[in-house]
Every structure is written in structure tokens, then in C-alpha cells.
């Protein structure tokens, strides 16, 4: 098995304690950093698909994302300054009044693993804060809003409509337990995802 | 009606003849975690604060004041769980004034033991306690990366919960003891069935066995899509699964397992009837759907709940009471037909 294949397997199986060494060995063997990164992104794509199809569950997805981040840490100094590999910046947050972060954190990991730079605004994010964050950061291509509670669905609607009013061309992705495709359509979101794996797929679709 | 609501409710749970489909919160009063946070050592004091493990709980209005662990204030992670023995400090159950807690709860939420069954809601099952200590993501990663440490810690948590249950029996003396341990999301299990069976189920079973030994009826709470584990839940000795949401095939489960376990819930809390702007007509239609669909099968107790974006008990009551009242009215109407 080539070094780069080994990295892919380690990411896919979530071996976070072994990935850094494997990435370094791949670099030492002459593999290009970009190729290693692409291999890890491909692995996370497989992980996302397996999660969406029910083949694996949240723990396996989380440890895969953790493994990838360990590998990226090794690549970062090598790729410093090279922004050509980024798909752009995604602003993400849980909407105002909602303090739940697990769904948002899972989506953050998966979208980041797909090749985006993430700016996580945390929880209880006022609608205007999403707009400010787009203006404060470079190369923002996507805003992702999460809402877990039925009581915060109005805040999700406000967030989407505030972003769209201020930035009509900005793509907005929504998700959360009570959210449906019909509701996403109703509030004017560009995309909806049922889970973190499909959120990463949808994020790439929206900016294509 | 010859039976009291309590007798009818307990008959349902014991798979005996009932006169009407029971309505939770009407036919059964709730103490502990439920309408209130319950003993502060588990979910923190009313309005938020520290629990007996040193975890801070907050009570946002968006969740109707239900306590959740303060985000990003965890004491452990998926790496440090191997050192849990030096990190996790269990509460001293003998140092707690149990009678004072019971009195305070009853002064706010009176129950009538002569006509109502009584449920005690025990917050933080083994998985939820793990998540309270380290956050959901770290807890889930720990299950995958450090299963032995997780198992050791959850064994210790279960030992503690069994002692907790003894205090509950002594001071609250409920008919039902509900172990709140959410292991599923709206669309799927948090962890694989294999991980659940190896790392969580044995602790649920041990607690349920102890609860039954103490003379209480064990109830398992989990929201979300948990249908793939219905046989496991039965095997843990739980007499009831609450709060079953219609993301599961409730009728299908009733037909197959209705003589083995009671499914409590039914109301579509995450759907249109649970939406903050849902009309009363929408909610009444949902109540009728539950009784018409699930009430015709064995093993069902209605439990309707909507989240209210408020910390004001009066506002919550204004949303909840029509649901409870219509459920009672409609259930009795159906029973007299």
C-alpha cells in the first residue's frame, strides 16, 4: 500500500493517533502536500456517504474528522500561503436563542473536511451577526445556519432572510432536527441537508 | 368508569385491561426531572447553576427552561477520559437534603397520589452524564476511541444511579422511575447498535433491574429514531419507552411488541403541531390522529408535548393545558363509544 493510500485508510477509519506520522512519511516519500490533502478530502467524502447511508454513525464520523485534522496540521506549514486549494470560506452558526451545538459542530467538521475554511460563530447567533461575519472575512462563499428547536425556527427564518436581504447572491444552507426541505424552501434558503455528511455534499453543490 | 386514572394507567403498563387510553401528565403526575429540573445534583438548581458533579447547567427560554450543560465548559475529553478516576467527583448522596427537595417540588407541582400514578424523572442516564461531563462530540468520540475507559466510567455512574434510585424510592416513592438517556436524533441513532449493545445497554439493564427490585417500574426515555433498538430496550427490562416520536413506525412496533412494552408519546413534537405558530386546530387534529392510530393498538399511552419559548410557567401552561385537556376528553369520548 502506498503512503498516500495508508493516509486515506487511517482517515477513513479514524486513527487520529497514527495519521500525523503517516502524512509525514508520505511527504518524506515525495508525495505532494496537495495530493495528500486531496486524498484525505476524498476519504472524508466516503465517510460522509457512509454516514448518510447509515453504514457508520456519529462516533465514526467524528473520529475520521479528528484524524483528518491531525493530518492537516502536518500539511499546514508545507502549504502555508497556498489558498488555491480552498473551496472558499463558510460562515456557520446556531441561530439566535438556540444554544445547541452538536449538529452545527458535526456539520462544521464535515464541511471543513470537504475543503472549506470555516468561521464558526458558535451558538445563539443573532441574524445580523451572520451578515457582519461575511463582511469581516475573505472569500466567503457560503453561510450555514443551524436550528435544533421548534422554538427557534422563526430565528432560522430571520437569519436566512437577513442574510439574503443584505447579500442577495450569498448561498445559505440550513439544517436541524425540525427543519425540512419544505421549510427551507419557504424561508428562502438555497440548500437544506438532513445530516452532516449530506451537508458537505450540498455545500459543494451550492458553490459549484 | 370504574377505575381511577392511576389504576387505569398502571393497568396499561402492566398489559391489563384498561377503560380508556391513558394520558400522561393527566393520569400520571411527574416529579423529578420533567416539568422541573428535579434534584439539583443531576440537572442543577431551578433556573440554572452547578450540579453535584461540578457541571454548570443553563436554562435557555428557547428550550422552555429545560436545563442543558453550559456549552464549552466541560471537565474532560476523549483523551483525558482515561484519567476519569481523578477527574470525576461523584456527589455525596448522604449530604443532600432529600426531604427539602421533595417538599420544594411538591409545593410547585402538586400531585394527587390517590388518583394519579407518579413518575419520577431521573435526568442524565449513563450516556447523557458522559456528554454532560465532556460534551456530545467528545463523548461520542470516546465511545469509539476509549471504550474501556467509557465502560469503567459508566459502570461507576450506574453504581451511583442505583444509590440515587434508592433515595428516590425512600423520599419520592414513585410508581415509575424514568431513566432519561437520549441516544438518538430525529433521524438516527447517535451510535451504532453494536456500540449501544456493548457499552450502554448493559448499564441500562443493570439500573432497570435495580429499579424494579426497589419496587418501581423502569421506564426508558429517548427522543428520536430509536426503532432499531426496540428489542434491546425490551431486553433491558424497561416497561415503557417514552417519548416515542412518529419518526418511528409506532403502529408497526405496537403490532409486534405491544404486549411486551408500552410506547408512550406519539405526538409530533418536531413537526407542524409542535411549531411555535401551530394553531390549536392543528394540535387537536394531531391529538386525534394519535388516539385514532395508536390508541387502537395495544401498548400505548398518549404523551403530548410542545416546546414553548418562555421561562414563564403560565405561558407554558397556556400551550400545554389545551393538549392535555383535549387528550383526556377525546380518550374518554372514544372509550364510551
Amino acid at each position: 500500500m502506498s503512503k498516500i493510500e495508508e493516509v486515506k485508510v487511517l482517515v477513513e477509519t479514524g486513527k487520529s493517533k497514527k495519521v500525523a506520522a503517516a502524512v509525514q512519511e508520505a511527504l518524506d516519500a515525495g508525495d505532494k502536500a496537495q495530493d495528500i490533502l486531496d486524498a484525505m478530502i476524498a476519504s472524508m467524502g466516503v465517510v460522509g456517504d457512509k454516514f448518510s447511508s447509515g453504514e457508520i454513525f456519529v462516533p465514526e464520523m467524528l473520529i475520521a474528522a479528528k484524524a483528518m485534522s491531525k493530518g492537516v496540521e502536518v500539511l499546514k506549514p508545507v502549504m502555508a500561503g497556498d489558498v488555491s486549494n480552498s473551496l472558499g470560506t463558510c460562515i456557520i452558526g446556531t441561530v439566535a436563542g438556540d444554544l445547541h451545538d452538536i449538529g452545527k459542530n458535526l456539520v462544521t467538521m464535515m464541511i471543513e473536511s470537504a475543503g472549506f475554511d470555516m468561521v464558526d460563530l458558535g451558538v445563539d447567533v443573532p441574524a445580523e451577526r451572520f451578515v457582519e461575519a461575511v463582511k469581516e472575512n475573505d472569500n466567503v462563499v457560503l453561510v450555514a445556519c443551524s436550528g435544533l428547536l421548534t422554538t427557534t425556527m422563526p430565528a432560522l427564518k430571520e437569519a436566512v432572510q437577513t442574510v439574503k436581504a443584505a447579500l442577495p447572491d450569498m448561498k445559505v444552507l440550513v439544517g436541524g432536527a425540525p427543519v425540512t426541505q419544505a421549510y427551507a424552501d419557504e424561508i428562502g434558503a438555497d440548500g437544506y441537508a438532513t445530516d452532516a455528511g449530506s451537508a458537505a455534499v450540498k455545500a459543494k453543490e451550492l458553490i459549484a | 368508569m370504574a377505575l381511577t386514572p392511576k389504576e387505569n394507567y398502571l393497568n396499561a403498563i402492566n398489559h391489563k385491561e384498561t377503560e380508556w387510553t391513558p394520558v400522561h401528565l393527566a393520569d400520571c403526575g411527574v416529579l423529578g426531572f420533567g416539568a422541573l429540573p428535579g434534584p439539583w445534583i443531576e440537572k442543577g438548581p431551578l433556573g440554572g447553576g452547578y450540579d453535584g458533579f461540578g457541571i454548570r447547567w443553563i436554562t435557555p427560554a428557547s428550550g422552555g427552561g429545560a436545563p442543558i450543560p453550559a456549552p464549552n465548559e466541560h471537565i474532560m475529553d476523549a483523551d483525558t477520559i482515561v484519567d476519569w478516576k481523578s477527574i470525576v467527583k461523584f456527589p455525596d448522596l448522604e449530604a443532600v437534603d432529600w426531604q427539602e427537595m421533595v417538599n420544594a417540588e411538591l409545593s410547585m407541582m402538586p400531585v394527587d397520589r390517590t388518583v394519579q400514578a407518579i413518575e419520577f424523572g431521573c435526568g442524565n442516564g449513563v450516556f447523557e452524564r458522559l456528554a454532560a461531563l465532556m460534551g456530545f462530540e467528545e463523548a461520542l468520540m470516546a465511545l469509539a476511541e476509549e471504550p474501556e475507559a467509557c465502560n469503567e466510567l459508566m459502570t461507576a455512574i450506574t453504581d451511583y444511579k442505583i444509590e440515587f434510585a434508592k433515595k428516590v424510592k425512600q423520599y419520592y416513592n414513585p410508581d415509575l422511575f424514568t431513566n432519561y438517556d437520549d441516544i438518538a436524533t430525529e433521524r438516527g441513532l447517535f451510535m451504532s447498535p453494536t456500540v449501544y449493545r456493548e457499552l450502554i445497554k448493559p448499564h441500562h439493564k443493570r439500573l432497570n433491574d435495580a429499579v424494579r427490585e426497589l419496587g418501581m417500574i423502569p421506564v426508558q426515555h429517548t427522543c428520536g429514531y430509536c426503532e432499531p433498538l426496540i428489542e434491546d430496550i425490551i431486553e433491558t427490562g424497561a416497561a415503557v419507552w417514552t417519548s416515542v416520536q412518529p419518526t418511528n413506525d409506532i403502529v408497526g412496533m405496537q403490532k409486534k411488541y405491544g404486549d411486551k412494552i408500552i410506547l408512550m408519546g406519539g405526538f409530533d413534537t418536531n413537526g407542524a403541531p409542535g411549531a411555535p405558530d401551530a394553531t390549536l386546530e392543528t394540535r387537536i387534529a394531531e391529538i386525534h390522529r394519535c388516539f385514532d392510530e395508536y390508541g387502537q393498538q395495544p401498548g400505548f399511552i398518549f404523551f403530548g408535548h410542545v416546546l414553548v419559548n418562555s421561562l414563564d410557567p403560565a405561558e407554558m401552561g397556556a400551550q400545554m393545558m389545551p393538549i392535555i385537556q383535549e387528550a383526556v376528553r377525546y380518550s374518554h369520548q372514544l372509550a364510551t363509544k
Side-chain angles (χ1 to χ4, degrees), chain A residues 95-174:
Chain A
V95 298
D98 199 328
L99 283 85
H100 293 81
D101 59 5
I102 181 169
K104 182 262 299 172
N105 291 348
L106 293 175
V107 170
T108 301
M109 288 181 200
M110 292 306 289
I111 295 183
E112 184 170 35
S113 299
F116 288 80
D117 293 318
M118 301 302 293
V119 175
D120 186 350
L121 302 178
V123 297
D124 193 15
V125 179
E128 299 76 21
R129 182 72 194 105
F130 286 101
V131 176
E132 290 168 8
V134 172
K135 293 175 178 171
E136 289 165 4
N137 289 278
D138 295 330
N139 196 27
V140 177
V141 294
L142 181 66
V143 173
C145 305
S146 168
L148 186 86
L149 303 171
T150 51
T151 51
T152 53
M153 288 171 81
L156 186 64
K157 178 181 181 180
E158 186 187 352
V160 171
Q161 295 186 344
T162 301
V163 171
K164 283 299 195 183
L167 307 154
D169 296 329
M170 181 57 60
K171 300 294 184 188
V172 181
L173 177 64
V174 295

Side-chain angles (χ1 to χ4, degrees), chain B residues 117-146:
Chain B
I118 302 298
E119 178 209 24
F120 178 88
C122 182
N124 298 326
V126 287
F127 174 64
E128 284 194 23
R129 173 49 70 185
L130 203 63
L133 293 168
M134 57 202 297
F136 264 103
E137 294 96 320
E138 293 292 329
L140 289 164
M141 282 194 282
L143 290 175
E145 292 183 324
E146 299 292 349

